[in-house]
Amino acid sequence: MKFWSKVFAIARKDTLSELRSREILSSVLMFALLVIVIYEFAFGGDPDTIKTVAPGMLWTTFVFAGMLSLNRAFIPEKEQGCLEGLMICPVSREAIYAGKAISSLLFMLIIEAIGLIAFTVLFNLPVISLPVITITVFTTIGFVAVGTLFSALSVNTKAREMVLPILFLPIVIPIIIGAVNATQAALASGSFSDVGSWLQIIIAFDVIFSVVSFLTFDFIVVE
Amino acid sequence: MAGELDSVTRPLAFKIQGLTKSFGNRQVLRGLDLEIEAGKSVTVFGPNGAGKSTLVKILATIMNPTSGTVFINGQDLKQNAWAIRRHIGLITHQTLLYGNLTGRENLEFYGRMFDVPDLKSRIQEMVSLVGMTARQHDRVATLSRGMQQRFAIARALLHKPSIVLMDEPETGLDQEAIPLLWRAMPDNAENVRTVIHVTHSLERGLELGDRFVILDKGKIVYEGVREAIDLAGLKDVYRKSTSMST
């Protein structure tokens, strides 16, 4: 019980801090919307082309926006020496990981929700549907689970903006491939039945990598 | 090498044996041995790169030693870091405060992390102690460096730690606020508090410490007690021990 109260205290602190500064939400949201607008100009004229490339457009937007967001996740802790403040608290490192992951997940889901609306408006695609939203939520869970770990790892490096994608992208490729294929199937049929197998892969990735990240976080932040 | 040590026997707050720390090939601490009795205030002096901050980080459980043993309040640092953290307050030249939160929100956050009972009244007490009642609802980023450091002192003492580690805590504090650091000092028999104070200021260190050690190149090169030396003597010892001018 105490574990979760500390997890939520960390997530609450991050959310409050972000609501005040809007460092992540405003910059990442602007980036995501710009990418969607660029895609609209590139592919906007042909509905068949859009239908073919829409899952790729959606997930490249979310992946790069997500990396920008995750790059910022530990920077406030590092810049103000607050990571040391957290380290001296009688809190398990796993609670720190879970708290940071929950706040990052929340920020990403907000950005993705607005991104899906923008997709619907600009491309007239049925992306605001239960299957696509389910795929987005589960993919984001796995993405953030791994991303939070690597964000903590890269924050101590000099070229952290470059280190995170290099370390992180190869690990999340399976879940991104799953998300693109699942979204393709969902847009084609609009039903859950065709996305089931891809969704299972995504959920399996979520479970495995959430547990692994949760257990290895201690080794990442110990020094 | 050593001055006279206090003869009063108390339980040990710190027992450090053969402590080393290396970063790659660079050895920062080279076999440190140090015992500190509970309720004592020890000042650590030393030139830049002597290993003072590394020592504080290891004792604060932020960093793992390369080798050696550290017992804090009788508990092995390697095995009981979690339990030890409850007893430690850390004041450094960084405030460890979130700039986008108010001073009070920062204290609420750290209070929850340390499970401080009756948190609201304890925060009020600490905010009043550091003279920041009027500015407690201001964002930390909007406060002066000295005001931020006052909140940092409140943060470190919020959970009533029995050990306070201070790494150049005077940073940013004005002359009026420096006496606040006395709040971190051992005060009375019921509230035994052990303090390790790292500073470059020989005057301040001599004023605040019962004992002092001089660290150079990762080793203790001098150890003494306040009663045995005055400021001029300390400056002389420091110069000779570190081969540097004060």
Side-chain angles (χ1 to χ4, degrees), chain B residues 121-134:
Chain B
S121 63
R122 178 65 181 158
I123 289 173
Q124 209 51 51
E125 187 186 335
M126 291 311 298
V127 165
S128 164
L129 183 83
V130 296
M132 293 301 292
T133 306

Side-chain angles (χ1 to χ4, degrees), chain A residues 20 77 80-81 93 222-223, chain B residues 21 62 85 98-99 105:
Chain A
R20 298 251 169 87
E77 308 283 355
Q80 296 159 56
R93 305 313 192 216
V222 76
E223 285 189 13
Chain B
K21 179 67 188 177
I62 294 169
R85 285 182 195 121
Y98 295 92
E105 286 166 347

Side-chain angles (χ1 to χ4, degrees), chain A residues 2 5-7 9-10 12-14 16-18 20-21 23 76-93 221-223, chain B residues 21 23 57 60-65 82 85-86 88-90 92 94-102 105-106 108-110 112-115 139 155:
Chain A
K2 269 188 179 174
S5 76
K6 289 177 181 178
V7 167
I10 293 167
R12 182 182 174 276
K13 176 265 298 172
D14 281 351
L16 198 58
S17 186
E18 177 56 27
R20 298 251 169 87
S21 70
E23 276 179 27
E77 308 283 355
K78 192 70 186 171
E79 282 177 348
Q80 296 159 56
C82 295
L83 192 55
E84 290 187 356
L86 273 180
M87 301 280 279
I88 58 166
C89 294
V91 179
S92 71
R93 305 313 192 216
V221 295
V222 76
E223 285 189 13
Chain B
K21 179 67 188 177
F23 297 103
K57 283 184 179 178
T61 76
I62 294 169
M63 199 177 264
N64 286 333
W82 177 298
R85 285 182 195 121
R86 285 199 180 279
I88 291 177
L90 178 66
T92 75
Q94 286 187 300
T95 61
L96 318 186
L97 297 172
Y98 295 92
N100 288 322
L101 303 186
T102 67
E105 286 166 347
N106 269 285
E108 282 170 355
F109 172 68
Y110 280 106
R112 287 197 186 100
M113 292 293 107
F114 279 93
D115 299 315
R139 280 193 217 180
R155 170 195 54 72

